[in-house]
């Protein structure tokens, strides 16, 4: 802070830099040259701007992290958000993009160590927001996958729908977000011994959250990373021997988390059968 | 760890099963378009001013200093404390006592 | 499915000299259902800068039925840094997609050295700042390819280094850049009260021939360092009676302008906001016939 104050004095008075620094650091005096109608310094007037900045950003974070705010209570959330804001202020004027690093900030915040699931609930809320604002796209028609020849379908790669996200947690984040945000009047039971893998999808306008069965997260993560269907299934089996490919694939297809088959340049999966079927459609 | 493999025939069979199961039902994403105009999130950018001269933004005492003395008071307490419904796995337990720790530095 | 509508489907390209409302997400289903008689809707551009989804779907539907005004809140035209090119491009894209009849921004700054402060922060009124603001407005109008309106701010502090008054500053900007002005009558009342000036004098000196839109909104009372009244531009309640009176005198003197009622905090049910819009419309319709009566 001492170094900052020295540099303050060197800069032109009442520049944006001084003004901005004092907005985020309430221990600094109001900037030089900022006055009231009598020409005197007006710290209380300057506080109007401090309040505008901090309180509006607390509100913006609270609108994004609804369940986190409810889990922590408004008082704690406001204080936590304020710490985050002064250390990680927004870098874009588009506030729907503010708060990406808030879950990690919570994960590393010593006073929250007794509540280790909070950060993962925050990650799920961030994923929900990204899905809500993601580009529109038509989900993959399952019939397109059904049209691929059986001997080629294992090598198919499938593109993730722009609004699809996957959040895995050792904590019951689906139950927690339902209880504290989407279904507060009819909350599911929360079993803190249970980890949950949550699929976030928005085939049209409304964001859906789905809990995945064992192996489902490994399977979809592999597919979203560009693995072929057969490899993704193998990774899912490795992660969870009870993995059921038909169930998971059906869940993912009906949730609309794919947008298209990845075109294959070689002797690809779009076989003669596919072409023939397409002609008939 | 070596990945387990799934045979091409099994994969093809699974795809056929999954797709067949879907083709008879209406796709889940065929939502009624009319109800889609509700915006469930309010806009975050606006040009209003905040709460005047006295409030959190200008406070230097409430949460500052070198100790964080708040405890969560929301639903979290119900889920995550020793006095609540359960104990956290791997031996950790939530605590309702105030935590006097230094705040993280940016 | 969410591709921009062809412009031929839109009949309203210009915003009429009637009252409009700030568009709030919670009101949209009702607005589309009942299609209330409102002159236009205005949105904050930054809330529609996501890629897709519900906000764009809703705004497309509203745009099909009503004229639109696009109001930026984050470009930082008064800032010391150059304008954010990405943000400018986002504004351009929104202008092209929604074809708003009006496009406006603020005489204020909000970004410095990559930090966005999410407030409309004040600028000193001196030659250096004037030049910078003019350069930025030239930049905006070049990139977006249309005239913008610049809004007079609500301010709570002044700067020792200011060498001119706000109206002189705004008038110079208009002369140098060819931009128009958005006259926020509530901001006039708030700033004049806060700086102990007379809002009637302010409005008498305002270059009304450059005004393309008027804003009305509610403010909250507070106190300054000396315990004297300090008004906060909170947009959290009905328009104040004093602001209605100023508005009525401006309209009576200068004729009708597109007029927006803003309500951004503690947003009420639609009928409450709509009654404010209707009150403004009543004042506007009483003013307009002054010319029309003559003509007919």
């Amino acid at each position: 802070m001492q170094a900052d104050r020295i540099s303050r004095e060197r800069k032109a008075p009442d520049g944006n830099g001084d003004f901005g620094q004092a907005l985020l650091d309430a221990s600094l005096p109001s900037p030089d040259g900022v006055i009231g109608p009598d020409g005197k310094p007006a710290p209380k007037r300057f506080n109007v701007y401090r309040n505008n900045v901090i309180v509006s950003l607390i509100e913006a974070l609270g609108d994004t992290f609804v369940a986190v705010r409810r889990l922590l209570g408004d008082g704690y959330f406001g204080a936590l958000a304020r710490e985050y804001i002064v250390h990680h202020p927004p870098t874009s004027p588009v506030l729907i993009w503010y708060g990406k690093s808030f879950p990690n900030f919570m994960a590393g915040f010593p006073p929250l160590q007794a509540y280790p699931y909070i950060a993962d609930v925050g990650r799920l809320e961030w994923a929900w927001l990204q899905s809500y604002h993601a580009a529109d796209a038509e989900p993959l028609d399952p019939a397109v996958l059904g049209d691929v020849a059986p001997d080629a379908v294992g090598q198919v790669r499938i593109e993730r729908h722009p609004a699809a996200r996957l959040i895995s947690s050792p904590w019951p984040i689906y139950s927690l977000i339902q209880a504290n945000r989407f279904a507060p009047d009819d909350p599911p039971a929360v079993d803190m011994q249970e980890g949950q893998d949550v699929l976030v999808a928005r085939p049209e306008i409304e964001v859906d959250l789905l809990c995945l069965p064992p192996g489902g997260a490994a399977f979809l993560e592999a597919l979203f990373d560009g693995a072929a269907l057969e490899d993704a299934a193998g990774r899912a089996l490795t992660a969870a021997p009870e993995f059921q490919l038909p169930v998971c694939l059906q869940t993912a297809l009906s949730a609309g988390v794919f947008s298209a088959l990845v075109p294959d340049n070689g002797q690809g999966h779009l076989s003669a059968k596919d072409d023939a079927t397409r002609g008939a459609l | 760890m070596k990945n387990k493999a799934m045979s091409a025939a099994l994969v093809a069979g699974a795809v056929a099963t999954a797709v067949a199961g879907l083709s008879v039902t209406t796709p889940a994403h065929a939502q009624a378009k009319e109800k889609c105009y509700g915006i469930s999130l309010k806009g975050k950018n606006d040009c209003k001013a905040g709460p005047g001269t006295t409030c959190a933004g200008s406070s230097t005492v409430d949460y500052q200093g070198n100790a964080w003395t708040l405890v969560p008071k929301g639903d979290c307490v119900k889920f995550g404390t020793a006095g609540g419904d359960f104990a956290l796995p791997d031996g950790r337990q939530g605590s309702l006592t105030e935590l006097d720790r230094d705040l993280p530095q940016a | 499915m969410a591709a921009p509508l062809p412009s031929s489907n839109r009949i309203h390209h210009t915003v009429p000299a009637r009252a409009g409302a700030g568009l709030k997400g919670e009101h949209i289903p009702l607005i589309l259902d009942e299609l209330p008689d409102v002159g236009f809707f205005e949105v904050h551009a930054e809330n529609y800068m996501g890629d897709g989804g519900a906000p764009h779907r809703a705004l497309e539907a509203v745009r099909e039925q009503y004229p639109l005004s696009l109001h930026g809140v984050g470009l930082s035209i008064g800032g010391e840094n150059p304008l954010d090119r990405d943000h400018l491009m986002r504004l351009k894209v929104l202008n092209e997609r929604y074809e708003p009849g009006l496009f406006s921004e603020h005489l204020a700054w909000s970004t410095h050295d990559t930090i966005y402060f999410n407030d409309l922060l004040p600028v000193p009124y001196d030659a250096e700042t004037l030049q910078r603001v003019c350069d930025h407005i030239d930049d905006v109008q070049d990139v977006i390819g249309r005239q913008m309106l610049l809004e007079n701010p609500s301010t709570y502090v002044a700067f020792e280094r200011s060498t001119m008054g706000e109206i002189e500053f705004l008038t110079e900007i208009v002369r140098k850049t060819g931009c128009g002005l958005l006259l926020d009558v509530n901001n006039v009342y708030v700033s004049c009260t806060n700086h102990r000036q007379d809002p009637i004098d302010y409005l008498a000196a305002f270059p009304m021939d450059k005004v393309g839109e008027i804003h009305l909104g509610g403010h909250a009372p507070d106190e300054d360092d000396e315990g004297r009244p300090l008004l906060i531009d909170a947009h959290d309640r009905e328009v104040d009676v004093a602001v209605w009176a100023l508005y009525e005198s401006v309209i009576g003197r200068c004729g009708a302008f597109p007029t927006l009622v803003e309500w951004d905090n503690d947003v009420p049910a639609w009928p409450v906001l709509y009654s404010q819009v209707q009150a403004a419309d009543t004042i506007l319709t009483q003013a307009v016939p002054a010319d029309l009566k003559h003509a007919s």
Side-chain angles (χ1 to χ4, degrees):
Chain A
M1 263 311 135
Q2 197 53 43
D4 289 344
R5 282 178 201 248
I6 290 165
S7 70
R8 280 186 76 219
E9 282 157 23
R10 269 199 232 112
K11 275 188 258 168
D14 60 52
N16 291 172
D18 284 358
F19 202 101
Q21 199 182 4
L23 286 172
L24 293 182
D25 185 347
S27 70
L28 293 176
S30 68
D32 293 343
V34 170
I35 55 175
D38 299 330
K40 291 187 288 194
K44 202 172 169 189
R45 286 167 173 264
F46 184 72
N47 280 347
V48 174
Y49 294 106
R50 280 184 168 139
N51 286 327
N52 286 347
V53 172
I54 297 292
V55 175
S56 68
L57 291 174
I58 291 174
E59 272 177 30
L61 287 172
D63 289 344
T64 292
F65 298 98
V66 176
V68 168
R69 184 178 59 191
R70 179 161 165 168
L71 281 161
L72 294 173
D74 285 345
Y76 194 101
F77 182 85
L80 174 70
R82 184 190 146 132
E83 285 302 311
Y84 174 73
I85 290 159
V86 298
H87 292 109
H88 306 275
T91 55
S92 164
V94 186
L95 288 182
I96 58 179
W97 300 331
Y98 182 50
K100 184 180 184 182
S101 62
F102 188 56
N104 277 344
F105 177 82
M106 291 191 284
F109 193 63
L112 274 179
Q113 294 310 297
Y115 308 91
Y117 49 89
I118 295 283
D120 278 359
V121 173
R123 288 188 182 102
L124 182 54
E125 296 202 281
W126 183 255
W128 187 95
L129 184 75
Q130 300 319 297
S131 181
Y132 181 84
H133 288 293
D136 300 314
E138 206 64 60
L140 173 71
D141 179 352
V144 172
L145 187 61
D147 287 346
V148 179
D151 61 345
V153 77
Q155 296 313 309
V156 161
R157 295 167 207 275
I158 318 179
E159 270 175 33
R160 181 177 64 84
H161 186 277
R165 300 287 186 279
L166 183 63
I167 303 289
S168 296
S169 174
W171 308 101
I173 54 172
Y174 174 82
S175 304
L176 286 167
I177 201 173
Q178 291 295 328
N180 290 283
R181 178 163 179 176
F182 298 115
D185 300 327
D186 183 23
V190 177
D191 174 6
M192 291 304 288
Q193 308 293 327
E194 181 192 4
Q196 289 175 335
D197 302 323
V198 186
L199 185 59
V200 184
R202 202 207 81 212
E204 284 221 1
I205 289 301
E206 291 189 8
V207 179
D208 303 319
L209 300 177
L210 289 165
C211 246
L212 288 170
F219 174 63
L220 287 175
E221 199 179 341
L223 283 179
F224 290 168
D225 281 351
L229 195 52
E230 201 173 296
D231 296 339
R235 284 196 228 171
L237 267 184
T238 307
E242 67 270 46
F243 170 69
Q244 296 286 329
L245 178 57
V247 174
C248 277
L249 194 54
Q250 198 173 69
T251 300
L253 284 167
S254 83
V257 298
F258 306 122
S259 58
L261 303 188
V262 177
D264 190 0
N265 296 330
Q267 62 216 69
H269 51 258
L270 295 178
S271 61
K273 183 205 168 202
D274 186 71
D275 291 334
T277 318
R278 193 158 305 282
L281 283 174
Chain B
M1 181 165 59
K2 190 171 165 23
N3 272 345
K4 293 184 184 169
M6 191 177 277
S7 77
L10 265 178
V11 171
V15 168
T17 306
V19 172
L22 285 169
S23 59
V24 291
T25 57
T26 315
H29 61 262
Q31 298 169 358
K33 298 207 175 187
E34 310 321 315
K35 75 171 186 171
C36 290
Y37 295 125
I39 298 190
S40 49
L41 280 185
K42 61 179 179 179
K44 295 186 168 89
N45 283 94
D46 55 42
C47 53
K48 70 178 160 65
T53 56
T54 46
C55 168
S58 54
S59 158
T60 54
V61 288
D62 284 5
Y63 313 116
Q64 291 198 335
N66 56 6
W68 180 272
T69 55
L70 286 176
V71 286
K73 288 196 167 53
D75 285 1
C76 170
V77 175
K78 214 161 53 193
F79 297 118
T81 69
D85 300 328
F86 64 91
L88 293 172
D90 64 48
R92 281 177 292 185
Q93 288 197 323
S95 166
L96 266 178
T97 54
E98 293 184 355
L99 289 156
D100 273 345
R101 304 203 204 196
D102 289 340
L103 291 174
Q105 297 302 306
Chain C
M1 71 188 166
L5 288 168
S7 49
S8 58
N9 280 10
R10 294 175 180 159
I11 49 174
H12 315 288
H13 286 284
T14 54
V15 171
R18 287 198 50 199
L23 186 66
K24 295 288 147 189
E26 55 265 53
H27 297 153
I28 290 176
L30 186 147
I31 287 164
L32 290 173
D33 207 36
E34 299 182 0
L35 299 179
D37 180 26
V38 172
F40 67 102
F41 284 98
E42 181 165 293
V43 295
H44 296 134
E46 284 71 10
N47 291 331
Y48 296 87
M49 289 184 174
D51 291 330
H56 286 294
R57 173 78 66 95
L59 187 55
E60 290 283 3
V62 171
R63 179 67 188 88
E64 216 173 314
Q65 303 293 338
Y66 292 96
L68 182 72
S69 169
L70 186 67
H71 188 50
V73 299
L75 189 56
S76 201
I77 279 176
E80 288 167 9
N81 298 154
L83 294 181
D84 177 340
R85 307 317 295 175
D86 293 341
H87 200 66
L88 205 44
M89 286 313 294
R90 290 191 286 266
L91 286 169
K92 180 184 170 70
V93 166
L94 278 177
N95 267 290
E96 287 168 356
R97 176 168 182 176
Y98 290 103
E99 303 174 295
L102 296 169
F103 169 61
S104 52
E105 249 286 358
H106 297 84
L107 176 59
W109 68 278
S110 50
T111 296
H112 184 70
D113 286 352
T114 77
I115 298 180
Y116 173 65
F117 292 100
N118 194 36
D119 194 15
L120 299 166
L121 301 166
V123 298
Y125 299 139
D126 61 7
E128 184 191 329
T129 312
L130 178 68
Q131 187 57 52
R132 202 168 59 228
V133 169
C134 288
D135 291 346
H136 287 169
I137 291 175
D138 286 344
D139 200 4
V140 173
Q141 296 186 140
D142 282 353
V143 170
I144 298 181
R146 67 177 295 173
Q147 189 195 40
M148 63 161 283
L149 305 179
L150 186 69
E151 179 177 340
N152 60 297
S154 270
T155 56
Y156 311 100
V157 300
F159 292 92
E160 226 160 39
R161 64 184 254 207
S162 287
T163 55
M164 55 185 108
E166 188 167 285
I167 290 178
E168 187 188 348
F169 195 79
L170 287 167
T171 306
E172 272 301 289
I173 291 170
V174 169
R175 191 181 63 79
K176 290 185 172 188
T177 66
C179 76
L181 293 172
L182 194 173
L183 170 63
D184 188 318
V185 180
N186 182 60
N187 287 356
V188 169
Y189 186 70
V190 165
S191 289
C192 285
T193 303
N194 291 348
H195 301 294
R196 294 178 207 146
Q197 292 164 5
D198 186 345
I200 294 171
D201 292 349
Y202 183 104
L203 287 170
F206 204 84
M208 290 303 297
D209 57 324
K210 306 300 182 191
V211 171
E213 183 186 354
I214 289 179
H215 272 185
L216 299 171
H219 58 254
D222 206 317
E223 285 183 356
D224 75 356
D225 298 79
E226 282 81 40
R228 297 212 230 175
L230 186 72
L231 301 183
I232 310 295
D233 182 35
H235 296 181
D236 63 343
R237 64 193 71 194
E238 280 95 352
V239 176
D240 190 88
V241 285
V243 174
W244 279 123
L246 291 172
Y247 174 64
E248 202 163 356
S249 76
V250 166
I251 299 301
R253 179 165 54 90
C254 307
F257 294 87
T259 300
L260 179 80
V261 178
E262 301 181 285
W263 201 319
D264 296 309
N265 220 355
D266 300 332
V267 175
W270 169 252
V272 178
L273 176 54
Y274 188 38
S275 71
Q276 295 276 289
V277 173
Q278 287 174 309
D281 243 347
T282 303
I283 293 170
L284 287 169
T285 46
Q286 282 163 357
V288 175
D291 288 345
L292 292 186
K293 263 186 242 154
H294 238 54
S296 60

